[in-house]
Coordinates of all heavy atoms in Angstrom, one line a residue:
M1 N 98.3 51.2 91.4 CA 97.4 51.6 92.2 C 97.6 52.9 92.9 O 96.9 53.7 93.2 CB 97.0 50.6 93.2 CG 95.5 50.5 93.6 SD 94.5 50.2 92.1 CE 93.0 50.2 92.9
R2 N 98.8 53.2 93.1 CA 99.3 54.3 93.7 C 99.6 55.5 92.8 O 100.6 55.4 92.1 CB 100.6 54.0 94.6 CG 101.0 54.9 95.7 CD 102.1 54.2 96.4 NE 102.6 55.1 97.4 CZ 102.4 55.1 98.7 NH1 101.8 54.1 99.1 NH2 102.9 56.0 99.5
T3 N 98.9 56.5 92.8 CA 99.0 57.6 92.0 C 98.9 59.0 92.7 O 98.3 59.0 93.8 CB 97.9 57.6 90.9 OG1 96.6 57.8 91.5 CG2 97.9 56.4 90.0
D4 N 99.6 59.9 92.3 CA 99.7 61.2 92.9 C 98.6 62.1 92.4 O 98.5 62.4 91.2 CB 101.0 61.9 92.8 CG 102.1 61.2 93.5 OD1 101.8 60.6 94.5 OD2 103.3 61.3 93.0
T5 N 97.5 62.2 93.0 CA 96.4 63.1 92.6 C 96.4 64.4 93.3 O 96.7 64.5 94.5 CB 95.0 62.4 92.9 OG1 95.0 62.2 94.3 CG2 94.9 61.1 92.2
Y6 N 96.3 65.4 92.5 CA 96.2 66.8 93.0 C 94.8 67.1 93.5 O 93.9 67.0 92.8 CB 96.6 67.7 91.9 CG 96.6 69.2 92.3 CD1 97.4 69.7 93.2 CD2 95.5 70.1 91.7 CE1 97.3 71.0 93.6 CE2 95.4 71.4 92.2 CZ 96.3 71.9 93.1 OH 96.2 73.2 93.5
I7 N 94.7 67.5 94.8 CA 93.5 67.9 95.3 C 93.6 69.4 95.6 O 94.4 69.8 96.5 CB 93.2 67.2 96.6 CG1 93.2 65.7 96.3 CG2 92.0 67.6 97.2 CD1 93.0 64.8 97.6
P8 N 92.9 70.2 94.9 CA 93.0 71.7 95.1 C 92.4 72.1 96.4 O 91.4 71.5 96.9 CB 92.2 72.3 94.0 CG 91.3 71.2 93.5 CD 91.9 70.0 93.9
R9 N 93.0 73.0 97.1 CA 92.5 73.5 98.4 C 91.6 74.6 98.3 O 90.8 74.8 99.1 CB 93.7 73.9 99.3 CG 94.5 72.6 99.8 CD 95.5 73.0 100.8 NE 96.8 73.3 100.1 CZ 97.8 74.1 100.5 NH1 97.5 74.7 101.6 NH2 98.8 74.2 99.8
R10 N 91.8 75.5 97.3 CA 90.9 76.7 97.1 C 90.4 76.7 95.7 O 91.2 76.7 94.7 CB 91.8 78.0 97.4 CG 92.4 77.9 98.8 CD 93.3 79.1 99.0 NE 94.3 79.0 98.0 CZ 95.6 78.9 98.3 NH1 95.9 78.6 99.5 NH2 96.5 78.9 97.3
L11 N 89.1 76.7 95.6 CA 88.5 76.7 94.3 C 88.1 78.1 93.8 O 88.0 78.2 92.6 CB 87.2 75.8 94.3 CG 87.5 74.3 94.6 CD1 86.2 73.6 94.6 CD2 88.4 73.7 93.5
D12 N 88.0 79.0 94.7 CA 87.4 80.4 94.3 C 88.5 81.3 94.4 O 88.2 82.6 94.6 CB 86.3 80.7 95.2 CG 85.1 79.9 95.0 OD1 84.9 79.3 93.9 OD2 84.3 79.7 95.9
D13 N 89.7 81.1 94.0 CA 90.8 82.0 94.1 C 90.7 83.0 92.9 O 90.0 82.7 91.9 CB 92.2 81.4 93.8 CG 92.6 80.8 95.2 OD1 92.2 81.2 96.2 OD2 93.7 80.2 95.1
Q14 N 91.2 84.2 93.2 CA 91.1 85.3 92.2 C 92.0 84.9 90.9 O 93.0 84.2 91.2 CB 91.6 86.6 92.7 CG 90.8 87.3 93.7 CD 89.5 87.9 93.1 OE1 89.6 88.5 92.0 NE2 88.4 87.7 93.7
W15 N 91.8 85.4 89.7 CA 92.6 85.2 88.6 C 93.9 85.8 88.8 O 93.9 86.9 89.4 CB 91.9 85.7 87.4 CG 90.8 85.0 86.9 CD1 90.0 84.0 87.6 CD2 90.0 85.1 85.7 NE1 89.1 83.5 86.8 CE2 89.0 84.2 85.7 CE3 90.1 86.0 84.6 CZ2 88.1 84.1 84.6 CZ3 89.2 85.9 83.6 CH2 88.2 85.0 83.5
K16 N 95.0 85.3 88.3 CA 96.3 85.8 88.5 C 97.0 85.9 87.2 O 96.8 85.3 86.2 CB 97.2 84.8 89.3 CG 96.6 84.4 90.7 CD 97.1 85.3 91.6 CE 96.7 84.8 93.0 NZ 96.9 85.8 94.2
I17 N 97.8 87.0 87.1 CA 98.8 87.3 86.1 C 100.1 87.2 86.8 O 100.5 88.1 87.4 CB 98.6 88.6 85.4 CG1 97.1 88.7 84.6 CG2 99.7 88.8 84.3 CD1 96.9 89.9 84.1
G18 N 100.8 86.1 86.5 CA 102.0 85.9 87.3 C 101.7 85.7 88.7 O 101.0 84.8 89.2
F19 N 102.2 86.6 89.5 CA 102.1 86.5 91.0 C 101.0 87.5 91.5 O 100.6 87.6 92.6 CB 103.3 86.8 91.8 CG 104.4 85.8 91.6 CD1 105.6 86.0 90.9 CD2 104.2 84.5 92.1 CE1 106.4 85.0 90.8 CE2 105.1 83.5 91.9 CZ 106.3 83.8 91.3
W20 N 100.5 88.3 90.5 CA 99.6 89.4 90.9 C 98.1 89.1 90.5 O 97.9 88.3 89.6 CB 100.0 90.7 90.2 CG 101.4 91.1 90.5 CD1 101.9 91.7 91.6 CD2 102.6 90.8 89.7 NE1 103.2 91.9 91.6 CE2 103.7 91.3 90.4 CE3 102.8 90.3 88.5 CZ2 105.0 91.3 89.9 CZ3 104.1 90.2 88.0 CH2 105.2 90.7 88.7
D21 N 97.2 89.6 91.3 CA 95.8 89.5 91.0 C 95.5 90.3 89.8 O 96.2 91.2 89.5 CB 95.0 90.0 92.1 CG 95.0 89.2 93.4 OD1 95.4 88.0 93.2 OD2 94.6 89.7 94.4
V22 N 94.5 89.9 89.1 CA 94.2 90.6 87.7 C 93.8 92.1 87.9 O 94.3 92.9 87.2 CB 93.0 89.9 87.0 CG1 92.4 90.7 85.9 CG2 93.4 88.4 86.5
D23 N 93.1 92.3 89.1 CA 92.6 93.8 89.2 C 93.8 94.6 89.6 O 93.7 95.9 89.5 CB 91.5 93.8 90.2 CG 91.8 93.1 91.5 OD1 92.9 92.5 91.6 OD2 91.0 93.1 92.5
V24 N 94.9 94.1 90.1 CA 96.1 94.9 90.5 C 97.0 95.0 89.2 O 97.6 96.0 89.0 CB 96.8 94.2 91.6 CG1 98.2 94.9 91.9 CG2 96.0 94.2 92.9
A25 N 97.1 93.9 88.5 CA 98.0 93.9 87.3 C 97.3 94.6 86.0 O 98.1 95.1 85.1 CB 98.3 92.5 86.9
A26 N 96.1 94.8 85.9 CA 95.4 95.3 84.8 C 95.7 96.8 84.6 O 96.1 97.1 83.4 CB 93.9 95.2 85.0
P27 N 95.9 97.7 85.5 CA 96.3 99.1 85.3 C 97.7 99.1 84.7 O 98.0 99.9 83.7 CB 96.3 99.7 86.6 CG 95.4 99.0 87.4 CD 95.5 97.6 86.9
V28 N 98.7 98.3 85.1 CA 100.0 98.3 84.5 C 100.0 97.8 83.1 O 100.6 98.4 82.3 CB 100.9 97.4 85.4 CG1 102.4 97.4 84.8 CG2 101.1 98.0 86.8
A29 N 99.3 96.7 82.8 CA 99.2 96.2 81.5 C 98.5 97.1 80.5 O 98.9 97.4 79.4 CB 98.4 94.9 81.5
L30 N 97.4 97.8 81.0 CA 96.8 98.8 80.1 C 97.6 100.0 79.8 O 97.7 100.4 78.7 CB 95.4 99.1 80.8 CG 94.6 100.3 80.0 CD1 94.1 99.5 78.8 CD2 93.5 100.8 80.9
M31 N 98.3 100.5 80.8 CA 99.1 101.8 80.6 C 100.3 101.4 80.0 O 100.9 102.2 79.2 CB 99.4 102.3 82.0 CG 98.2 102.9 82.7 SD 97.2 104.0 81.7 CE 98.2 105.5 81.8
F32 N 100.8 100.1 80.0 CA 101.9 99.7 79.1 C 101.5 99.7 77.8 O 102.3 100.2 76.9 CB 102.3 98.2 79.5 CG 103.5 97.7 78.9 CD1 104.8 98.0 79.2 CD2 103.3 96.9 77.7 CE1 105.9 97.5 78.6 CE2 104.5 96.4 77.0 CZ 105.7 96.7 77.5
F33 N 100.4 99.2 77.5 CA 99.8 99.3 76.0 C 99.7 100.6 75.6 O 100.0 100.9 74.5 CB 98.6 98.4 75.9 CG 98.0 98.4 74.7 CD1 98.6 97.6 73.6 CD2 96.8 98.9 74.3 CE1 98.1 97.5 72.3 CE2 96.3 98.9 73.0 CZ 96.9 98.1 72.1
V34 N 99.0 101.5 76.4 CA 98.8 102.9 75.9 C 100.2 103.6 75.6 O 100.3 104.4 74.8 CB 97.9 103.6 77.0 CG1 97.8 105.1 76.7 CG2 96.5 103.1 77.0
G35 N 101.1 103.4 76.6 CA 102.4 103.9 76.4 C 103.1 103.5 75.1 O 103.9 104.3 74.6
Y36 N 103.0 102.2 74.8 CA 103.6 101.7 73.7 C 102.9 102.2 72.3 O 103.7 102.6 71.5 CB 103.3 100.1 73.6 CG 103.9 99.5 72.4 CD1 105.3 99.3 72.2 CD2 103.0 99.0 71.4 CE1 105.7 98.8 71.0 CE2 103.5 98.4 70.3 CZ 104.9 98.2 70.1 OH 105.4 97.7 68.9
L37 N 101.6 102.5 72.5 CA 100.9 103.2 71.4 C 101.3 104.6 71.2 O 101.2 105.2 70.1 CB 99.5 103.1 71.5 CG 98.8 101.6 71.3 CD1 97.3 101.7 71.6 CD2 99.2 101.0 70.0
S38 N 101.8 105.3 72.1 CA 102.1 106.8 72.2 C 103.3 106.9 71.2 O 103.3 108.0 70.7 CB 102.3 107.3 73.5 OG 103.4 106.7 74.2
G39 N 104.2 106.1 71.2 CA 105.3 106.2 70.3 C 106.5 107.0 70.8 O 107.6 107.0 70.0
T40 N 106.6 107.6 71.9 CA 107.7 108.2 72.5 C 108.1 107.6 73.8 O 107.3 107.1 74.5 CB 107.5 109.8 72.7 OG1 106.5 110.0 73.6 CG2 107.1 110.4 71.4
R41 N 109.5 107.7 74.1 CA 109.9 107.2 75.3 C 109.4 107.8 76.5 O 109.2 107.2 77.5 CB 111.4 107.1 75.3 CG 112.1 106.2 74.3 CD 113.5 106.2 74.4 NE 114.0 105.3 73.3 CZ 115.3 105.1 72.9 NH1 116.1 106.1 73.5 NH2 115.7 104.5 72.0
M42 N 109.3 109.1 76.5 CA 108.9 109.8 77.6 C 107.4 109.6 78.0 O 107.1 109.4 79.2 CB 109.0 111.4 77.3 CG 108.8 112.3 78.4 SD 110.0 111.9 79.8 CE 109.7 113.1 80.9
S43 N 106.6 109.6 77.0 CA 105.2 109.2 77.3 C 105.0 107.8 77.7 O 104.1 107.5 78.6 CB 104.2 109.5 76.1 OG 104.6 108.8 74.9
F44 N 105.9 106.9 77.1 CA 105.9 105.5 77.6 C 106.2 105.4 79.1 O 105.6 104.7 79.9 CB 106.7 104.7 76.7 CG 106.8 103.3 77.2 CD1 105.9 102.4 76.8 CD2 107.9 102.8 77.9 CE1 106.0 101.1 77.3 CE2 108.1 101.4 78.3 CZ 107.0 100.6 77.9
A45 N 107.2 106.1 79.5 CA 107.6 106.2 80.8 C 106.6 106.7 81.8 O 106.3 106.3 82.9 CB 109.0 106.9 81.0
I46 N 105.9 107.8 81.4 CA 104.9 108.4 82.1 C 103.7 107.5 82.3 O 103.1 107.3 83.4 CB 104.5 109.8 81.5 CG1 105.7 110.8 81.6 CG2 103.2 110.3 82.1 CD1 105.4 112.1 80.9
C47 N 103.3 106.9 81.1 CA 102.1 106.0 81.2 C 102.5 104.7 82.2 O 101.6 104.3 82.9 CB 101.8 105.4 79.8 SG 101.0 106.6 78.9
L48 N 103.7 104.2 82.0 CA 104.1 103.0 82.8 C 104.1 103.5 84.3 O 103.7 102.7 85.2 CB 105.4 102.6 82.3 CG 105.8 101.2 82.9 CD1 104.8 100.2 82.4 CD2 107.2 100.7 82.3
A49 N 104.7 104.6 84.6 CA 104.6 105.1 86.0 C 103.4 105.3 86.6 O 103.0 105.0 87.7 CB 105.4 106.4 86.1
T50 N 102.4 105.8 85.7 CA 101.0 106.0 86.1 C 100.4 104.6 86.4 O 99.6 104.4 87.4 CB 100.2 106.8 85.0 OG1 100.9 108.0 84.8 CG2 98.8 107.0 85.4
G51 N 100.6 103.7 85.5 CA 100.1 102.3 85.7 C 100.5 101.7 87.0 O 99.8 101.1 87.8
I52 N 101.9 101.8 87.3 CA 102.5 101.4 88.6 C 101.8 102.0 89.7 O 101.4 101.4 90.7 CB 103.9 101.4 88.5 CG1 104.5 100.5 87.5 CG2 104.5 101.2 89.9 CD1 106.0 100.6 87.2
F53 N 101.7 103.4 89.7 CA 101.0 104.0 90.7 C 99.6 103.6 91.0 O 99.2 103.4 92.1 CB 101.0 105.6 90.4 CG 100.2 106.3 91.4 CD1 100.7 106.7 92.7 CD2 99.0 106.9 91.1 CE1 100.0 107.4 93.6 CE2 98.2 107.6 91.9 CZ 98.7 107.9 93.3
L54 N 98.7 103.5 90.0 CA 97.5 103.0 90.0 C 97.2 101.5 90.7 O 96.5 101.3 91.6 CB 96.7 103.0 88.6 CG 96.4 104.4 88.2 CD1 95.8 104.3 86.8 CD2 95.3 105.0 89.1
S55 N 98.2 100.7 90.1 CA 98.3 99.3 90.7 C 98.6 99.3 92.2 O 98.0 98.5 93.0 CB 99.1 98.4 89.9 OG 100.5 98.7 90.2
R56 N 99.5 100.1 92.6 CA 99.9 100.2 94.1 C 98.8 100.7 94.9 O 98.6 100.3 96.0 CB 101.2 100.9 94.2 CG 102.3 100.1 93.6 CD 103.7 100.6 94.1 NE 103.8 101.0 95.4 CZ 104.3 100.1 96.5 NH1 104.5 99.0 96.2 NH2 104.4 100.7 97.7
W57 N 98.1 101.7 94.3 CA 97.0 102.3 95.0 C 95.8 101.3 95.2 O 95.3 101.2 96.3 CB 96.4 103.6 94.3 CG 95.3 104.3 94.8 CD1 95.2 104.9 96.0 CD2 93.9 104.2 94.3 NE1 94.0 105.4 96.3 CE2 93.2 105.0 95.2 CE3 93.4 103.8 93.2 CZ2 91.8 105.2 95.0 CZ3 92.0 103.9 92.9 CH2 91.2 104.7 93.8
I58 N 95.6 100.5 94.1 CA 94.5 99.5 94.2 C 94.9 98.4 95.2 O 94.1 97.9 96.0 CB 94.3 98.9 92.9 CG1 93.5 100.0 92.0 CG2 93.4 97.6 92.9 CD1 93.4 99.6 90.5
S59 N 96.2 98.1 95.2 CA 96.6 97.0 96.1 C 96.5 97.4 97.6 O 96.1 96.6 98.4 CB 97.9 96.4 95.8 OG 98.9 97.4 96.0
R60 N 96.8 98.8 97.8 CA 96.6 99.3 99.2 C 95.2 99.4 99.6 O 94.9 99.2 100.7 CB 97.4 100.6 99.4 CG 98.9 100.5 99.3 CD 99.6 101.8 99.4 NE 101.0 101.6 99.4 CZ 101.9 102.6 99.2 NH1 101.4 103.8 99.1 NH2 103.2 102.3 99.2
L61 N 94.4 99.7 98.7 CA 92.9 99.9 98.8 C 92.4 98.4 99.3 O 91.4 98.4 100.0 CB 92.3 100.4 97.7 CG 90.9 100.9 97.8 CD1 90.8 102.1 98.7 CD2 90.3 101.3 96.4
K62 N 92.8 97.4 98.6 CA 92.4 96.1 98.8 C 93.0 95.4 100.0 O 92.4 94.3 100.4 CB 92.7 95.2 97.6 CG 91.8 95.3 96.4 CD 92.3 94.4 95.3 CE 92.6 93.0 95.9 NZ 92.9 92.1 94.8
A63 N 93.9 95.9 100.6 CA 94.6 95.2 101.8 C 93.6 95.1 102.8 O 92.8 96.0 103.3 CB 95.7 96.1 102.2
D64 N 93.5 93.8 103.4 CA 92.8 93.4 104.5 C 91.3 93.5 104.2 O 90.5 93.8 105.2 CB 93.1 94.3 105.8 CG 94.5 94.1 106.3 OD1 95.0 92.9 106.0 OD2 95.1 95.0 106.9
K65 N 90.8 93.3 103.0 CA 89.5 93.4 102.6 C 89.2 92.1 101.9 O 90.1 91.3 101.6 CB 89.2 94.5 101.7 CG 89.3 95.9 102.5 CD 88.8 97.0 101.5 CE 88.7 98.2 102.4 NZ 89.9 99.0 102.5
H66 N 87.9 91.8 101.5 CA 87.5 90.6 100.8 C 88.3 90.6 99.5 O 88.6 91.5 98.9 CB 86.0 90.8 100.5 CG 85.5 89.5 100.0 ND1 85.4 89.2 98.6 CD2 84.7 88.5 100.6 CE1 84.8 88.1 98.5 NE2 84.5 87.6 99.7
P67 N 88.6 89.4 99.1 CA 89.4 89.2 97.8 C 88.8 89.8 96.5 O 89.4 90.1 95.7 CB 89.6 87.7 97.7 CG 89.4 87.1 99.0 CD 88.5 88.0 99.8
A68 N 87.4 89.8 96.5 CA 86.7 90.4 95.4 C 86.3 91.7 95.6 O 85.3 92.3 95.1 CB 85.5 89.5 95.1
Y69 N 87.0 92.4 96.5 CA 86.6 93.8 96.8 C 86.5 94.8 95.6 O 85.6 95.6 95.5 CB 87.6 94.4 97.8 CG 87.4 95.9 98.2 CD1 86.4 96.3 99.0 CD2 88.3 96.8 97.6 CE1 86.3 97.6 99.4 CE2 88.1 98.1 97.8 CZ 87.0 98.5 98.8 OH 86.8 99.8 98.9
A70 N 87.4 94.6 94.6 CA 87.4 95.5 93.5 C 86.1 95.2 92.7 O 85.4 96.2 92.1 CB 88.6 95.2 92.7
I71 N 85.8 94.0 92.5 CA 84.5 93.7 91.7 C 83.3 94.2 92.5 O 82.4 94.8 91.9 CB 84.3 92.2 91.6 CG1 85.4 91.7 90.7 CG2 83.0 91.8 90.9 CD1 85.6 90.2 90.6
H72 N 83.2 94.1 93.9 CA 82.1 94.7 94.6 C 82.1 96.2 94.5 O 81.0 96.8 94.4 CB 82.3 94.3 96.0 CG 82.1 92.8 96.3 ND1 82.3 92.2 97.5 CD2 81.9 91.8 95.5 CE1 82.2 91.0 97.4 NE2 81.9 90.7 96.1
W73 N 83.2 96.8 94.6 CA 83.3 98.3 94.5 C 82.8 98.8 93.1 O 82.1 99.6 93.0 CB 84.7 98.7 94.7 CG 84.8 100.3 94.7 CD1 84.7 101.0 95.8 CD2 85.0 101.2 93.7 NE1 84.9 102.3 95.6 CE2 85.0 102.5 94.1 CE3 85.2 101.0 92.3 CZ2 85.1 103.6 93.4 CZ3 85.3 102.2 91.5 CH2 85.3 103.4 92.2
L74 N 83.3 98.1 92.0 CA 82.8 98.4 90.6 C 81.3 98.2 90.6 O 80.5 99.0 89.9 CB 83.4 97.5 89.6 CG 84.9 97.9 89.4 CD1 85.5 96.8 88.5 CD2 85.1 99.2 88.8
Y75 N 80.6 97.1 91.2 CA 79.2 96.9 91.1 C 78.5 98.0 91.7 O 77.4 98.5 91.1 CB 78.9 95.6 91.8 CG 77.4 95.4 91.8 CD1 76.7 95.0 90.8 CD2 76.8 95.6 93.0 CE1 75.3 94.8 90.8 CE2 75.3 95.4 93.2 CZ 74.6 95.0 92.1 OH 73.3 94.9 92.1
W76 N 78.9 98.6 92.8 CA 78.2 99.5 93.6 C 78.5 101.0 93.1 O 77.5 101.8 93.2 CB 78.5 99.6 95.0 CG 77.9 98.5 95.8 CD1 78.6 97.2 96.2 CD2 76.5 98.2 96.0 NE1 77.7 96.4 96.8 CE2 76.4 97.0 96.7 CE3 75.4 98.9 95.8 CZ2 75.1 96.5 97.1 CZ3 74.2 98.4 96.3 CH2 74.1 97.2 96.9
H77 N 79.5 101.2 92.4 CA 79.8 102.5 91.9 C 79.6 102.8 90.4 O 79.7 103.9 90.0 CB 81.2 103.0 92.3 CG 81.3 103.2 93.8 ND1 81.6 102.0 94.6 CD2 81.1 104.1 94.6 CE1 81.6 102.5 95.9 NE2 81.2 103.8 95.8
L78 N 79.6 101.8 89.5 CA 79.4 102.0 88.2 C 77.9 101.9 87.8 O 77.1 101.2 88.5 CB 80.1 100.9 87.3 CG 81.7 101.1 87.3 CD1 82.2 100.1 86.5 CD2 82.1 102.5 86.7
P79 N 77.6 102.6 86.8 CA 76.0 102.6 86.5 C 75.6 101.1 85.8 O 76.5 100.5 85.1 CB 75.8 103.7 85.4 CG 77.2 103.8 84.8 CD 78.2 103.6 85.9
A80 N 74.4 100.8 86.1 CA 73.9 99.5 85.6 C 73.7 99.6 84.1 O 73.1 100.6 83.6 CB 72.6 99.1 86.4
S81 N 74.1 98.7 83.4 CA 73.8 98.6 82.0 C 73.5 97.1 81.6 O 73.8 96.2 82.5 CB 75.0 99.1 81.1 OG 76.0 98.2 81.2
P82 N 73.1 96.7 80.5 CA 72.8 95.3 80.3 C 74.1 94.5 80.3 O 74.0 93.3 80.6 CB 72.3 95.3 78.9 CG 71.6 96.7 78.7 CD 72.4 97.6 79.5
L83 N 75.2 95.1 80.1 CA 76.5 94.4 80.1 C 76.9 94.1 81.6 O 77.6 93.1 81.9 CB 77.5 95.1 79.4 CG 77.3 95.2 77.9 CD1 78.4 96.0 77.3 CD2 77.2 93.8 77.3
T84 N 76.6 95.1 82.5 CA 77.1 95.0 83.9 C 76.0 94.5 84.9 O 76.4 94.3 86.0 CB 77.7 96.2 84.4 OG1 76.7 97.3 84.3 CG2 78.8 96.7 83.4
A85 N 74.9 94.5 84.5 CA 73.7 94.1 85.4 C 73.8 92.6 85.8 O 74.1 91.8 84.9 CB 72.4 94.4 84.8
M86 N 73.6 92.3 87.0 CA 73.6 90.9 87.5 C 72.2 90.5 87.7 O 71.3 91.3 88.2 CB 74.3 90.8 88.8 CG 75.8 91.1 88.6 SD 76.6 90.9 90.1 CE 78.1 91.7 89.8
R87 N 71.7 89.3 87.4 CA 70.4 88.9 87.5 C 70.0 88.4 88.9 O 68.9 88.7 89.4 CB 70.2 87.7 86.5 CG 70.3 88.1 85.1 CD 70.2 86.8 84.3 NE 70.7 87.1 83.0 CZ 70.0 87.3 81.9 NH1 68.7 87.3 81.9 NH2 70.6 87.5 80.7
A88 N 71.0 87.9 89.7 CA 70.7 87.5 91.0 C 70.7 88.4 92.1 O 70.2 88.2 93.2 CB 71.7 86.2 91.4
T89 N 71.2 89.6 91.9 CA 71.3 90.6 92.8 C 70.5 91.8 92.4 O 70.2 92.0 91.3 CB 72.8 91.1 93.1 OG1 73.3 91.4 91.8 CG2 73.6 89.9 93.6
P90 N 70.0 92.5 93.4 CA 69.2 93.8 93.0 C 70.1 94.9 92.4 O 71.3 94.9 92.5 CB 68.7 94.2 94.4 CG 69.6 93.7 95.3 CD 70.1 92.5 94.8
P91 N 69.5 95.8 91.7 CA 70.2 96.9 91.2 C 71.0 97.7 92.2 O 70.5 97.7 93.5 CB 69.2 97.8 90.5 CG 68.0 96.9 90.4 CD 68.1 95.9 91.5
S92 N 72.0 98.3 91.9 CA 72.9 99.0 92.9 C 72.3 100.2 93.5 O 72.7 100.7 94.6 CB 74.3 99.3 92.4 OG 74.1 100.2 91.4
H93 N 71.3 100.8 92.9 CA 70.6 101.9 93.5 C 69.7 101.6 94.6 O 69.2 102.4 95.3 CB 70.0 102.8 92.4 CG 68.8 102.2 91.8 ND1 68.9 101.2 90.8 CD2 67.4 102.2 92.0 CE1 67.8 100.8 90.4 NE2 66.8 101.4 91.2
L94 N 69.3 100.3 94.7 CA 68.4 99.9 95.8 C 69.4 99.5 97.0 O 69.9 98.3 97.0 CB 67.5 98.7 95.4 CG 66.6 99.0 94.2 CD1 65.9 97.7 93.8 CD2 65.6 100.1 94.6
R95 N 69.4 100.3 98.0 CA 70.4 100.0 99.1 C 69.7 99.8 100.5 O 70.3 99.9 101.5 CB 71.3 101.2 99.2 CG 72.1 101.3 98.0 CD 73.1 102.4 98.1 NE 73.8 102.6 96.9 CZ 75.0 103.0 96.7 NH1 75.8 103.2 97.7 NH2 75.6 103.1 95.5
R96 N 68.4 99.5 100.4 CA 67.7 99.3 101.7 C 67.8 97.8 102.0 O 67.5 97.0 101.2 CB 66.2 99.7 101.3 CG 65.4 99.6 102.7 CD 64.0 100.1 102.4 NE 63.1 99.4 103.4 CZ 61.9 99.5 103.3 NH1 61.3 100.0 102.2 NH2 61.2 99.0 104.2
M97 N 68.2 97.5 103.2 CA 68.3 96.2 103.7 C 67.0 95.7 104.2 O 66.3 96.4 105.0 CB 69.5 96.1 104.8 CG 70.8 96.6 104.4 SD 71.4 95.4 103.2 CE 72.0 94.1 104.3
V98 N 66.7 94.5 103.9 CA 65.4 93.9 104.4 C 65.8 92.7 105.1 O 66.5 91.8 104.7 CB 64.6 93.6 103.1 CG1 63.2 92.8 103.7 CG2 64.1 94.7 102.2
G99 N 65.2 92.7 106.3 CA 65.5 91.5 107.1 C 66.0 91.7 108.5 O 66.6 92.5 109.0

């Protein structure tokens, strides 16, 4: 009758790649892939350094803000398309608060 059951404390955590959030690790992974495709060691090193710089910039930008800050920023600053449009929220060009 005595079993160890795991009770999660947080259900809405950000996705992780290892210890890093996805939005912080994605620039490094993307630039790693681009550098690998480039074919030379110098361009690989430059791409990897650029990816690390971008990820550190994003992590500093996200510091002390909402965990989904990057998603919110993308919603407000990218153009709406059928792929990025959300149904439950108004379009990003409507910025008038009601209430």
Side-chain angles (χ1 to χ4, degrees):
M1 212 56 183
R2 197 171 168 110
T3 61
D4 292 332
T5 58
Y6 173 72
I7 300 172
R9 288 188 265 155
R10 300 174 303 254
L11 297 176
D12 294 331
D13 278 350
Q14 291 285 320
W15 289 8
K16 303 271 187 190
I17 295 178
F19 294 112
W20 302 282
D21 292 338
V22 169
D23 52 358
V24 174
V28 175
L30 179 69
M31 294 308 281
F32 183 85
F33 182 68
V34 169
Y36 178 74
L37 290 178
S38 65
T40 63
R41 290 182 184 167
M42 186 63 170
S43 61
F44 178 76
I46 291 170
C47 288
L48 196 59
T50 304
I52 291 170
F53 172 76
L54 286 174
S55 70
R56 293 201 32 100
W57 179 69
I58 290 171
S59 66
R60 287 182 182 164
L61 191 66
K62 279 181 45 173
D64 299 329
K65 292 188 174 88
H66 190 273
Y69 174 76
I71 295 170
H72 295 176
W73 188 90
L74 289 173
Y75 172 76
W76 286 108
H77 291 90
L78 290 180
S81 72
L83 296 176
T84 61
M86 297 182 196
R87 296 174 198 257
T89 57
S92 65
H93 67 275
L94 298 176
R95 297 181 185 214
R96 184 174 160 198
M97 298 293 280
V98 177

